Amino acid sequence: MTTIDEQGRPEPPVAAGEAATLLGFLDYQRATLEWKCAGLDAAALGAKAAASTLTLGGLLKHMAYVEDSWFSYTLHGQDRQPPWNAVDWKAEPDWEFHSAAGDSAGDLRARWQDAVVRSRSLVAVSLADGGMDSVATRAWPDGGAPSLRWIVCHMIEEYARHNGHADFLRESVDGSTGE
């Protein structure tokens, strides 16, 4: 049975196998970003703090891209889908952060939620095929390819880092605080 905390986040299991524990922490981090962005309109999702250009909307779009990049593109070797396939990443490596300003709050949330649903489905396929030892279809330029275990750990780290940004940004928008 999954325990849900006061912010609606699923608590990671305290005594489970490797996959359930790692995926539990990833889902907790995903739910933290969702909580930090909940109830905000496009203006609030586009608000900046201090000298930074980072926004909550930019974080949502970035994490949608990161989900698709690691699970769809790298792990399963799928072609990039819109909007990611139309971006000149060399010319504009932070496109997802900056372009979010032109997206509605609903579109940003939906794009991220859809990416998470795809990722969960693709992780389930990899777990059934080879477990956490499954190796990504696309290799890195040096020929190495990360395991599903590495990708999930990296995603936990990615969310944790950006959730720290989200804490700061949300507080600057409306004073909401919390871990």
Side-chain angles (χ1 to χ4, degrees), residues 36-177:
K36 293 298 175 175
C37 296
L40 298 177
D41 62 14
L45 286 174
K48 299 172 183 163
S52 176
T53 60
L54 197 58
T55 66
L56 287 166
L59 287 176
L60 278 173
K61 196 165 186 176
H62 172 68
M63 291 311 298
Y65 170 67
V66 171
E67 290 272 358
D68 280 339
S69 183
W70 281 109
F71 294 113
S72 297
Y73 183 77
T74 302
L75 183 62
H76 283 273
Q78 298 175 358
D79 291 337
R80 293 197 194 278
Q81 298 298 309
W84 321 126
N85 64 340
V87 177
D88 181 350
W89 293 103
K90 289 182 181 177
E92 194 164 357
D94 292 332
W95 175 84
E96 74 278 26
F97 286 110
H98 304 298
S99 67
D103 297 335
S104 73
D107 286 346
L108 289 166
R109 283 189 190 93
R111 178 172 283 120
W112 175 74
Q113 289 167 344
D114 290 347
V116 168
V117 167
R118 275 190 301 281
S119 294
R120 286 183 177 134
S121 176
L122 293 168
V123 165
V125 169
S126 290
L127 286 172
D129 284 349
M132 294 303 263
D133 292 327
S134 296
V135 176
T137 301
R138 287 191 196 273
W140 288 330
D142 70 1
S147 67
L148 175 60
R149 178 182 298 102
W150 187 95
I151 292 170
V152 169
C153 287
H154 175 70
M155 290 297 295
I156 293 167
E157 179 266 338
E158 184 85 11
Y159 271 101
R161 175 178 353 115
H162 290 311
N163 284 338
H165 299 133
D167 283 339
F168 181 68
L169 290 165
R170 182 62 190 249
E171 184 176 5
S172 73
V173 168
D174 65 5
S176 293
T177 61

